[in-house]
Amino acid sequence: MLIIGAGFSGLALGMRLLERGESDFLILEQADGIGGTWWVNRYPGCACDVQSHLYSLSFVPKPDWSSQFAPRTEIQSYLEEAARKRGLMPHIRLNTAVQKAAWNDERQYWQLKDQDGRVYTGDLLIPALGGLSRPKFPNIPGLGDFAGAVIHSQQWPDDLDLKGKRVAVIGCGASAIQFVPRIQPDVAQLDLYQRTPQWILPKPDGPIPDWKQKLYRAFPPARLLTRLGLYLLLESRLPAFNRYPALSWLHRRMARNYLARQVRDPELRRKLRPDYAMGCKRVLMSNDFYPALTRENVSVITDPIEQIDATGVTSGGCHRPVEVLLMATGFRATAPVPRGLISGRDERDLAACWALGPEAYKGTTVHGFPNLFMLLGPNTGLGHNSVLLMLESQLNYVLSALDHLDQKQVSVLEPRLEAQTDWNHQLQARLAKTVWKSGGCASWYQHPLSGRVPTLWPSSTASFRRALRYFDSAAYHCIEAPGSQSARHDQEAAAQRN
Ligand code: N01
């Protein structure tokens, strides 16, 4: 088995495989460290916006999270420690960027090639690429002419020194609201280009006291109770997002009051006030973003950007000189797989099949791509809870599929087109009623051309867990392994006929 990516999902699958005594797998990772998102994103202030006791794997408990929302370094160390302790490291090949993964129909295996031409073969392919790993750069006239550094939030160099510099930040999503307050005290001038204001709530963050960490260690049910409480709290937000937006009135009011308290200048407040349904874009949390925007060295600019030239940015007819451009413009979430990376039966390219947005069966398998199980695939993202809950459901499904392959002596599994079409039809019907589809905003949840939402799961996490509890072979074309009893029987019958 070949797994692409040593982020949360690739590592989690590796750990579950080892737990079952399976060791015939490799994890290929392009970076020089493990942790995926939590290894790559190094901008100042990078942290999780889901509480750590829920944003962690149920089978890798950590009683001593330092704060409610752990910083990225702590999450990365959590993953690294778990991988080391569980003996996963020998299965991981770092600095190994898969260039091409192709299904060989004749031999019924996947063949992968890395950047140095090394070839790997495996009966199963597990793309664990993450939905938010391909940075999106805006298409702004003149961007290529800019003479200073252009840095995407995901590609933040460890040694970036912004002291005394004039910087422009383009975008104000989850990434920008984390790093803007961190860099604001250092820079000479910060121009924040905001296209759409965000719904922002205060972040209930803070250190987890020592006594609580000790309690969680000594008495695990206390930690589980905390986890359950967080789960129920976040899950209770779902009806306001997927059916009854009016239910978010209290949170809308909290957000408006919070803005009014933090930003006294009515003009700035007006610029920062969202006018679409709460949740249509990911609801953000921060205690220091609004205060940072009120500082003298910060300008919030809402006129559309007209042009970038060698020395700065022009918007609303005004040219503002800058030395560094920071792109907080997000990710290509609706095109998570590059063209030419994965080719299935009849050499069909996965990215080409997904030109109008990714689509899979149960977010995991794809018609035309035998023996491929994608982790955190299409419509497995969440707008209301921890995505790791979805990942763990997928792990159950993949392991159940492995059991099916073993027990039924099957060698190839591929979802039937009808099953995939039905699944997506129902999904899109449910999504139509949600704020993610019709909340009056544009977001990375939606495909820019088709308007479909190929990213989020519209229902409860429990319903996804139920749907993926067991591998449902009826939804699949199954080809028996050449050595299996019934395959031998077929061969003998064919030989007799000849
Ligand atoms: O990206 P975004 P992000 N001209 O897509 C603007 C996760 N995450 O990296 O809203 C001008 O949210 C765009 O404007 P608009 C999390 O799931 C998690 O911040 O499209 N502006 C927007 O303001 C999150 O949702 C954590 O009008 C342009 C911004 O760029 C996801 O990653 C931390 C533009 C993009 O916002 C993405 O967050 C960080 C253009 N041409 C991220 N193009 C955690 O805490 C785009 N924009 C776990």
Side-chain angles (χ1 to χ4, degrees):
M1 180 189 306
L2 296 169
I3 301 171
I4 310 179
F8 243 113
S9 50
L11 295 174
L13 177 61
M15 290 183 228
R16 292 285 312 266
L17 288 170
L18 289 180
E19 227 173 62
R20 285 163 45 112
E22 292 185 33
S23 56
D24 187 13
F25 66 92
L26 265 188
I27 303 179
L28 308 174
E29 167 58 54
Q30 61 183 359
D32 55 355
I34 66 171
T37 276
W38 303 107
W39 173 266
V40 176
N41 282 275
R42 281 152 187 256
Y43 59 79
C46 183
C48 189
D49 61 3
V50 175
Q51 287 86 342
S52 308
H53 276 291
L54 191 58
Y55 191 79
S56 40
L57 297 164
S58 65
F59 54 93
V60 186
K62 177 172 160 67
D64 57 352
W65 285 110
S66 67
S67 47
Q68 299 293 343
F69 299 86
R72 78 133 197 122
T73 43
E74 192 174 354
I75 304 173
Q76 196 274 330
S77 306
Y78 162 76
L79 287 170
E80 194 161 317
E81 196 184 315
R84 283 193 196 289
K85 279 194 176 153
R86 287 159 194 246
L88 192 57
M89 297 311 278
H91 294 269
I92 302 173
R93 300 283 175 276
L94 296 177
N95 300 305
T96 303
V98 175
Q99 306 287 302
K100 174 100 191 155
W103 171 252
N104 185 323
D105 210 18
E106 203 179 308
R107 304 198 167 177
Q108 299 185 346
Y109 62 55
W110 283 93
Q111 180 167 314
L112 276 57
K113 226 178 233 175
D114 72 12
Q115 78 281 11
D116 296 324
R118 281 180 297 239
V119 173
Y120 309 78
T121 55
D123 50 353
L124 297 174
L125 177 68
I126 316 283
L129 308 170
L132 299 171
S133 48
R134 299 184 72 201
K136 189 180 113 192
F137 284 86
N139 193 7
I140 300 174
L143 177 55
D145 301 334
F146 184 65
V150 178
I151 294 162
H152 190 279
S153 59
Q154 190 217 37
Q155 298 162 346
W156 201 284
D158 286 338
D159 57 356
L160 182 64
D161 184 8
L162 296 174
K163 245 187 198 94
K165 297 245 165 72
R166 293 189 313 269
V167 305
V169 176
I170 300 184
C172 62
S175 303
I177 71 155
Q178 292 186 333
F179 73 72
V180 163
R182 296 300 181 97
I183 62 170
Q184 173 273 322
D186 285 344
V187 301
Q189 171 65 28
L190 191 157
D191 295 337
L192 176 70
Y193 288 89
Q194 173 198 271
R195 198 163 58 176
T196 317
Q198 300 277 354
W199 282 104
I200 302 178
L201 288 166
K203 192 171 186 180
D205 202 359
I208 297 179
D210 246 20
W211 68 264
K212 238 186 202 170
Q213 297 183 25
K214 282 185 188 141
L215 172 70
Y216 291 156
R217 190 186 300 279
F219 188 59
R223 185 189 55 77
L224 284 173
L225 210 62
T226 298
R227 186 175 164 95
L228 176 67
L230 290 169
Y231 168 72
L232 294 174
L233 179 73
L234 298 192
E235 198 66 11
S236 71
R237 304 192 302 176
L238 180 63
F241 293 150
N242 78 345
R243 207 59 195 267
Y244 308 109
L247 288 178
S248 66
W249 69 271
L250 184 61
H251 285 99
R252 285 201 304 272
R253 205 165 150 174
M254 275 168 65
R256 294 232 191 273
N257 288 344
Y258 178 57
L259 172 62
R261 277 201 313 277
Q262 298 288 326
V263 179
R264 294 289 171 194
D265 172 9
E267 175 58 17
L268 179 58
R269 208 187 300 160
R270 189 190 54 75
K271 286 182 181 173
L272 296 172
R273 208 181 142 101
D275 64 355
Y276 51 87
M278 187 178 227
C280 182
K281 289 172 183 285
R282 188 176 177 87
V283 180
L284 306 182
M285 289 184 295
S286 170
N287 299 326
D288 47 13
F289 182 62
Y290 284 149
L293 300 188
T294 64
R295 303 289 179 246
E296 277 198 347
N297 64 341
V298 178
S299 307
V300 177
I301 299 150
T302 53
D303 295 319
I305 299 174
E306 286 143 21
Q307 170 116 29
I308 293 177
D309 62 18
T311 59
V313 182
T314 303
S315 76
C318 174
H319 180 267
R320 293 179 183 82
V322 289
E323 295 163 273
V324 182
L325 269 181
L326 298 171
M327 298 293 175
T329 41
F331 300 90
R332 302 179 61 186
T334 55
V337 178
R339 276 200 182 236
L341 180 64
I342 298 177
S343 77
R345 234 179 342 99
D346 311 321
E347 296 183 16
R348 67 184 76 183
D349 181 65
L350 185 57
C353 294
W354 285 356
L356 293 179
E359 194 176 292
Y361 178 62
K362 299 196 170 178
T364 311
T365 53
V366 187
H367 179 73
F369 295 81
N371 285 5
L372 173 145
F373 293 84
M374 178 170 265
L375 297 179
L376 296 181
N379 294 98
T380 59
L382 290 179
H384 73 287
N385 211 327
S386 168
V387 75
L388 299 184
L389 300 163
M390 303 294 278
L391 169 63
E392 292 205 31
S393 299
Q394 285 191 293
L395 298 183
N396 293 340
Y397 192 67
V398 173
L399 297 179
S400 174
L402 293 186
D403 290 340
H404 184 83
L405 286 165
D406 280 354
Q407 289 159 11
K408 305 284 176 194
Q409 297 187 308
V410 166
S411 63
V412 179
L413 294 171
E414 181 187 334
R416 296 177 190 278
L417 184 57
E418 319 81 75
Q420 184 172 313
T421 307
D422 276 3
W423 173 263
N424 283 284
H425 191 73
Q426 289 177 30
L427 250 179
Q428 292 302 323
R430 267 179 284 148
L431 277 160
K433 299 177 197 131
T434 67
V435 290
W436 303 307
K437 167 80 180 146
S438 43
C441 79
S443 79
W444 62 259
Y445 298 152
Q446 305 145 4
H447 190 274
L449 299 178
S450 66
R452 274 177 61 240
V453 176
T455 45
L456 295 192
W457 175 248
S459 308
S460 70
T461 51
S463 64
F464 190 72
R465 182 64 54 108
R466 274 195 304 277
L468 276 78
R469 173 153 288 169
Y470 301 112
F471 180 70
D472 44 348
S473 58
Y476 286 79
H477 291 289
C478 304
I479 300 179
E480 289 183 346
S484 72
Q485 259 187 11
S486 54
R488 271 203 304 274
H489 179 79
D490 288 350
Q491 278 167 7
E492 281 161 19
Q496 275 171 14
R497 273 201 305 276
N498 293 337

